Amino acid sequence: MTTTKDVTMPAGATPPASPRIKPPKSNRRLRIGERTAPYLLILPALVAILVLLGWPTMQLIGISLRKLDLRELVSGEMVWVGFQNFSEILSDSEFWEITVRTLVFTAAVVITTLLLALFMALLMRHLNPVVRVVLQVALILAWATPVLATTTVFQWIFDQQYGILNKTLAKLGFESFIGHSWFATGPSTLTVIGLLVVWQAVPFVAFTLYAGLLGVPKEQYEAAGIDGANAWQAFWAVSWPAIRPILTMVTFLSVLWDFKLFAQVWAIRQGGPDGTSTTLPVYMYLKGLAGNHFGLAATAALLMMLVLILLTARYVQLLVRSKEADLS
């Protein structure tokens, strides 16, 4: 048997502190490894981003501070002009007109895309399987068609003499559309381009929102129906909280894609007629690359990049706020 010995401590005396046991070195190394492991895992991605994006951005900034026309490019002469390129572009009234036009065009296309895609997603949610598959195949085909092929089809549809749209409207009794030119003005040209962009943008957004709707349990809709909610109230109470983060993401992506749109605008009318459908990417091409003023082109590209950075910062801010709201 073991015996215990009671030790009497005098009143007011502090008991001796228990000896401090130091953690083994292996445990400390394990903790350090756990802390540094995430940073080591993302290190290759950070290096790739710095190489693929950081270095070209530095080159872009350097070119924007130089006069780099065809003469300087051939001779290899370095002519530094500081912020003269920025002053020239920012003092150009055409630049501000095109900037406003690009922002309005982007907003119109993005809003139209989101509304139609949301409608398509809700429609796929409630259709029977056969009709839903047919609709999904049609959306995939519209999405998979190459940009230039779709642009050619739209040019044929809206052709002044042989377009199927004018012929159809004429047969329906709208004889004023016989020989009507849809590309006579800048707004009508941008409208056709906007329809073309929406046609190819809706499928991706619709499928993304539809995936978010599939994550909502049917029991929540049944509970909303038991509580007396109609279809509109069930959408706001059940569907909207589920797809709101996804809608924020696709809105941000759509703004980025549509703001820097070039191929469709250039293929339709090269920014015409008389430059009234020119957007910022086309302006950058005409001012810089086509005119051999590469310093001005770099400046315009840098200004566009600053706008996209501001949009990205706003998206990150909304994302952080939504995460904080979920945690609270």
Side-chain angles (χ1 to χ4, degrees), residues 173-205:
F174 300 97
E175 297 181 356
S176 60
F177 284 95
I178 298 177
H180 176 73
S181 177
W182 295 92
F183 305 104
T185 63
S188 61
T189 303
L190 286 176
T191 301
V192 176
I193 297 172
L195 292 174
L196 169 61
V197 175
V198 169
W199 173 268
Q200 290 199 302
V202 162
F204 171 78
V205 181

Side-chain angles (χ1 to χ4, degrees), residues 122-136:
L122 294 173
L123 194 62
M124 287 189 288
R125 182 72 169 75
H126 296 90
L127 288 175
N128 65 73
V130 176
V131 180
R132 181 169 61 245
V133 169
V134 173
L135 177 60
Q136 290 175 345

Side-chain angles (χ1 to χ4, degrees), residues 217-229 234 237-238:
K218 294 183 178 180
E219 291 79 7
Q220 295 187 11
Y221 291 102
E222 295 174 357
I226 294 175
D227 292 339
V238 180

Side-chain angles (χ1 to χ4, degrees), residues 59-61 63-64 86 284 288 293-303:
Q59 290 290 322
L60 186 68
I61 295 174
I63 295 174
S64 67
F86 290 90
M284 180 185 66
H293 301 297
F294 302 102
L296 292 175
T299 303
L302 193 60
L303 293 174

Side-chain angles (χ1 to χ4, degrees), residues 6-52:
D6 296 334
V7 179
T8 304
M9 296 292 298
T14 304
S18 59
R20 191 170 183 177
I21 302 175
K22 296 183 179 180
K25 292 184 178 180
S26 58
N27 291 342
R28 278 187 283 180
R29 291 177 181 176
L30 182 62
R31 291 178 182 177
I32 295 174
E34 291 177 351
R35 293 175 181 177
T36 57
Y39 300 99
L40 294 176
L41 291 175
I42 66 173
L43 183 60
L46 291 177
V47 173
I49 291 174
L50 290 176
V51 173
L52 298 177

Side-chain angles (χ1 to χ4, degrees), residues 3-288:
T3 59
T4 59
K5 183 177 181 180
D6 296 334
V7 179
T8 304
M9 296 292 298
T14 304
S18 59
R20 191 170 183 177
I21 302 175
K22 296 183 179 180
K25 292 184 178 180
S26 58
N27 291 342
R28 278 187 283 180
R29 291 177 181 176
L30 182 62
R31 291 178 182 177
I32 295 174
E34 291 177 351
R35 293 175 181 177
T36 57
Y39 300 99
L40 294 176
L41 291 175
I42 66 173
L43 183 60
L46 291 177
V47 173
I49 291 174
L50 290 176
V51 173
L52 298 177
L53 295 179
W55 177 250
T57 302
M58 296 300 296
Q59 290 290 322
L60 186 68
I61 295 174
I63 295 174
S64 67
L65 300 176
R66 295 162 52 189
K67 179 185 178 184
L68 187 59
D69 297 343
L70 186 60
R71 175 179 175 273
E72 287 78 18
L73 184 65
V74 173
S75 63
E77 185 181 0
M78 301 281 288
V79 181
W80 297 96
V81 295
F83 293 99
Q84 181 178 338
N85 290 329
F86 290 90
S87 177
E88 182 176 345
I89 286 185
L90 294 177
S91 61
D92 187 4
S93 59
E94 183 184 11
F95 168 78
W96 293 108
E97 180 182 351
I98 292 174
T99 300
V100 173
R101 182 188 302 141
T102 304
L103 293 174
V104 173
F105 173 77
T106 302
V109 170
V110 170
I111 292 174
T112 306
T113 299
L114 293 177
L115 291 177
L116 289 178
L118 182 59
F119 172 75
M120 289 291 181
L122 294 173
L123 194 62
M124 287 189 288
R125 182 72 169 75
H126 296 90
L127 288 175
N128 65 73
V130 176
V131 180
R132 181 169 61 245
V133 169
V134 173
L135 177 60
Q136 290 175 345
V137 170
L139 290 174
I140 291 175
L141 291 176
W143 187 25
T145 306
V147 172
L148 291 181
T150 308
T151 303
T152 303
V153 172
F154 267 71
Q155 285 178 317
W156 172 71
I157 292 174
F158 291 92
D159 186 78
Q160 182 176 358
Q161 298 297 331
Y162 307 103
I164 190 175
L165 180 59
N166 285 348
K167 291 183 178 181
T168 303
L169 292 175
K171 288 184 178 181
L172 293 176
F174 300 97
E175 297 181 356
S176 60
F177 284 95
I178 298 177
H180 176 73
S181 177
W182 295 92
F183 305 104
T185 63
S188 61
T189 303
L190 286 176
T191 301
V192 176
I193 297 172
L195 292 174
L196 169 61
V197 175
V198 169
W199 173 268
Q200 290 199 302
V202 162
F204 171 78
V205 181
F207 278 115
T208 305
L209 295 177
Y210 177 63
L213 290 174
L214 289 179
V216 181
K218 294 183 178 180
E219 291 79 7
Q220 295 187 11
Y221 291 102
E222 295 174 357
I226 294 175
D227 292 339
N230 54 31
W232 184 251
Q233 292 171 336
F235 168 77
W236 285 109
V238 180
S239 301
W240 179 251
I243 65 174
R244 184 175 59 184
I246 302 175
L247 189 65
T248 303
M249 180 193 68
V250 295
T251 301
F252 168 72
L253 293 176
S254 299
V255 170
L256 293 183
W257 291 335
D258 297 339
F259 183 78
K260 55 187 181 66
L261 194 69
F262 175 81
Q264 293 90 329
V265 180
W266 183 256
I268 289 289
R269 281 299 182 274
Q270 295 81 44
D274 298 328
T276 51
S277 66
T278 301
T279 56
L280 277 177
V282 177
Y283 171 83
M284 180 185 66
Y285 175 79
L286 294 174
K287 196 78 172 179

